[in-house]
Every structure is written in C-alpha cells, then in structure tokens.
Amino acid sequence: MSYLKEFKSAVARTAKLDLGDFTVNESPMPLDQAVLNAVEETGHIPFKQRAVQSLSVNFGMFHMLAKKFHIPGGIMTLGNVSVNGEMRFPVTPAHFRKMIETGSGEDALGSYHLWTTLPGGVILDHVLPSALAGDGLLDVNEAVPAERYLYGPADELGHGIAYHPMIVGLEFFIASETIDREAMEYLMGEKFPKQYGKS
C-alpha cells in the first residue's frame, strides 16, 4: 500500500477518534536544502541521543518547522516504521485508542515512532537515522547536517525503510495525556478542544 493511502487511513482514524480533521495535500512542495539544514541545526539533542528521545527531537523539529521557519502543510504523524519488512515498534492503531482511553500516553513513549509528513507524502524525520546508525544499519557522517535527518518521498526511501502512519496531528498528545494542554497551546500558539470523544 502506498504511503498516501496509509496516511489517508490514519487521517480517517484520527477523525473517528474526534482528534481533528486533516486535509491530505497530495502535491509535493519540496523544501530548500538550506531550510532543511537550518532546521536541523536548531536541534540541541546530540545525534547519538536522538534515538531514545524521539518525542523531544521530532516534536521539537516540527515546532521549529512550523513556528520559526513558517513552513506550511506539515502534519505530525505517529505510527510505526519497518526496515526490510520488520516493524521496529510494538504498536498498532488499537494501541493509540487505548492510550487515549486510559490516559497512558506518557507511559507509552517509546512504543511508537513520530515524524513530520509534508505535502505529497514526503517524510521529515530527525530521529530514525540516529536509531539505524546505533543499530549498525546505516552509516552517518555526523558532520554533514543532511545526513543527520531523513527527508524524501515516503515511497522512495532507501535502506528498506517504510513508514506506517496510524494517527496524525497534535491533539493525540493532549487526549492521551502525553503533553499538558496548556503547554501545547503555549508552544503552538493555538487552542485545542477541551473534550475528546472516546468512541
């Protein structure tokens, strides 16, 4: 299944959970390499530590992309990643529903992956290269900013990498009690609904 088809399923699942409605922009809007490198250079977590600080790194980079660099169309995406057909995380769509029902999002950090989906099904991920390098699956020259993140069309990534979106948007973090509502509203400069359906 193509990434955009999986992404549309994640959008529908998110709406069914009353976590927001999203529009899928299928036309790619490539980012300039200088902007990508500038976003990367704003990161404060060392490359080797990123694999174990996925939320801090990829949410932080998403925030910089949206609020400092004003790049439109990025959507925070949560789910799984496979490498050569093997899933790296013990998570399915049902796990995200359970995190919302039980408010266990903070405890479940590390059980899923998160990244930014850009228009056209393009991936921006500042964590996976660190994880793959740590597992000996990828050689990374840490001195080169463009090697410290993954950017490209999801269906054309190398190294046997495939992304599997399951939930999208920021409201999941609040509804699952992963991030405090007031903190999220302060960071993103927008209001979020006070109640979420538990359907």
Side-chain angles (χ1 to χ4, degrees):
M1 181 184 299
S2 75
Y3 181 80
L4 279 175
K5 282 187 179 176
E6 284 194 66
F7 189 81
K8 287 177 184 178
S9 293
V11 166
R13 191 176 298 117
T14 301
K16 193 172 181 183
L17 291 170
D18 197 23
L19 298 178
D21 294 311
F22 295 86
T23 302
V24 181
N25 185 342
E26 296 190 30
S27 300
M29 294 177 7
L31 297 181
D32 185 271
Q33 191 66 48
V35 171
L36 288 165
N37 290 349
V39 172
E40 164 61 24
E41 289 166 2
T42 63
H44 63 281
I45 297 175
F47 180 77
K48 286 183 171 59
Q49 294 175 19
R50 292 179 180 187
V52 294
Q53 296 186 35
S54 185
L55 177 67
S56 297
V57 174
N58 272 344
F59 177 78
M61 295 302 193
F62 173 84
H63 178 263
M64 294 300 290
L65 197 71
K67 297 301 174 185
K68 179 176 181 179
F69 293 92
H70 307 288
I71 304 299
I75 298 175
M76 187 93 269
T77 310
L78 298 80
N80 213 332
V81 181
S82 61
V83 179
N84 297 320
E86 183 178 336
M87 293 292 191
R88 293 185 59 88
F89 298 90
V91 69
T92 65
H95 286 100
F96 289 99
R97 178 187 294 271
K98 185 174 181 184
M99 286 179 228
I100 293 166
E101 290 171 351
T102 61
S104 60
E106 188 173 1
D107 297 333
L109 289 173
S111 69
Y112 61 88
H113 193 56
L114 66 157
W115 61 93
T116 299
T117 298
L118 293 161
V122 172
I123 299 294
L124 181 59
D125 185 347
H126 292 79
V127 172
L128 193 65
S130 171
L132 295 181
D135 291 347
L137 299 173
L138 188 67
D139 290 324
V140 175
N141 181 348
E142 295 177 42
V144 179
E147 290 196 23
R148 297 192 301 255
Y149 60 85
L150 190 63
Y151 171 76
D155 294 328
E156 299 173 16
L157 300 172
H159 309 288
I161 297 168
Y163 283 76
H164 305 282
M166 298 177 187
I167 293 286
V168 303
L170 300 176
E171 292 184 27
F172 167 80
F173 295 119
I174 301 167
S176 64
E177 299 181 25
T178 304
I179 297 176
D180 178 79
R181 177 187 309 282
E182 288 74 21
M184 182 67 83
E185 290 180 349
Y186 174 78
L187 286 168
M188 299 310 296
E190 61 186 275
K191 293 290 183 186
F192 292 88
K194 296 289 184 191
Q195 304 263 330
Y196 298 93
K198 307 287 186 187
S199 59

